[in-house]
Amino acid sequence: MFSSEAWNTSTWAKKHEGVKTRATVLFDQTFWPHIAYCVRSFTPLVSVLREVDSEEQPCMGYMYHLMTKAKENIALNYGNNERKYCLIWKRIDERWSSQLHHPLHAAGYYLNPQLRFEDRFSNKFEIKQGLYDCMEHMLNYNERLRVDIQLDSYDHLRGDFGSQLAMDSRKMRSPAD
């Protein structure tokens, strides 16, 4: 960019800010490592934003999973060296806890059969609690009682939940369907 005719004839090439920027990009030994750090840190988060912004499928049943996967990918980008990614995870967790994490995300994750029956499914207490919080807001006591009994069948793949058709269709259908 800085050797192009467009740059050399631009007003920025002659301004103090432009000269300083050129020097930083070309000669500061810490500039590109910092850029690489940013790219390794934010590429997984951009992937989450793309998924969430997609018109193809509703993201509610995937949000919890997407954030967990993004954090895992950030750690992987740093060779699982916690010292290198712990501040990024801390910032993500702060934002997730204060603005993004809602019981509905946990319920969507729990009830998404594409994710629920994978080996890597996170069965943390907060996930099932999120489901129960949503049920409490949406259902009366008798409905919650019936759903709770059905959840046992869902969790253990009993009845229709364990049928070959249900298992084969898990990856083909949207959780919203």
Side-chain angles (χ1 to χ4, degrees), residues 102-169:
H102 298 285
L104 202 53
H105 292 130
Y109 176 67
Y110 189 91
L111 294 173
N112 183 342
Q114 292 179 12
L115 303 173
R116 173 65 183 93
F117 300 104
E118 299 229 338
D119 292 337
R120 297 183 53 191
F121 179 77
S122 175
N123 214 358
K124 293 180 184 173
F125 172 77
E126 70 182 60
I127 294 167
K128 195 138 188 189
Q129 187 60 49
L131 173 64
Y132 281 107
D133 288 349
C134 286
M135 287 173 27
E136 191 168 326
H137 284 33
M138 298 171 70
L139 306 171
N140 67 40
Y141 180 80
N142 288 331
E143 291 168 326
R144 285 196 317 264
L145 192 59
R146 283 198 327 261
V147 170
D148 191 48
I149 292 167
Q150 279 189 331
L151 280 174
D152 192 49
S153 295
Y154 176 69
D155 287 339
H156 296 97
L157 298 172
R158 285 194 225 120
D160 290 338
F161 295 114
S163 73
Q164 193 62 47
L165 181 64
M167 291 199 221
D168 291 344
S169 67

Side-chain angles (χ1 to χ4, degrees), residues 21-169:
T21 300
R22 180 182 179 276
T24 299
V25 170
L26 295 179
F27 304 113
D28 185 339
Q29 299 295 317
T30 63
F31 178 77
W32 289 110
H34 283 107
I35 295 300
Y37 182 83
C38 290
V39 169
R40 283 194 304 268
S41 302
F42 293 104
T43 300
L45 296 174
V46 170
S47 295
V48 171
L49 289 175
R50 282 191 183 128
E51 290 283 334
V52 170
D53 195 36
S54 170
E55 298 290 327
E56 292 177 26
Q57 65 182 7
C59 69
M60 186 57 66
Y62 297 95
M63 189 67 178
Y64 197 96
H65 174 71
L66 291 171
M67 289 305 296
T68 301
K69 194 168 117 182
K71 286 175 62 180
E72 289 171 357
N73 286 336
I74 290 169
L76 192 61
N77 287 346
Y78 292 106
N80 291 313
N81 182 341
E82 189 173 342
R83 187 182 62 75
K84 291 182 177 181
Y85 66 82
C86 70
L87 291 176
I88 297 163
W89 271 31
K90 183 178 183 237
R91 187 74 172 138
I92 291 169
D93 290 342
E94 286 169 0
R95 189 62 64 153
W96 176 254
S97 296
S98 67
Q99 293 180 340
L100 298 171
H101 184 256
H102 298 285
L104 202 53
H105 292 130
Y109 176 67
Y110 189 91
L111 294 173
N112 183 342
Q114 292 179 12
L115 303 173
R116 173 65 183 93
F117 300 104
E118 299 229 338
D119 292 337
R120 297 183 53 191
F121 179 77
S122 175
N123 214 358
K124 293 180 184 173
F125 172 77
E126 70 182 60
I127 294 167
K128 195 138 188 189
Q129 187 60 49
L131 173 64
Y132 281 107
D133 288 349
C134 286
M135 287 173 27
E136 191 168 326
H137 284 33
M138 298 171 70
L139 306 171
N140 67 40
Y141 180 80
N142 288 331
E143 291 168 326
R144 285 196 317 264
L145 192 59
R146 283 198 327 261
V147 170
D148 191 48
I149 292 167
Q150 279 189 331
L151 280 174
D152 192 49
S153 295
Y154 176 69
D155 287 339
H156 296 97
L157 298 172
R158 285 194 225 120
D160 290 338
F161 295 114
S163 73
Q164 193 62 47
L165 181 64
M167 291 199 221
D168 291 344
S169 67

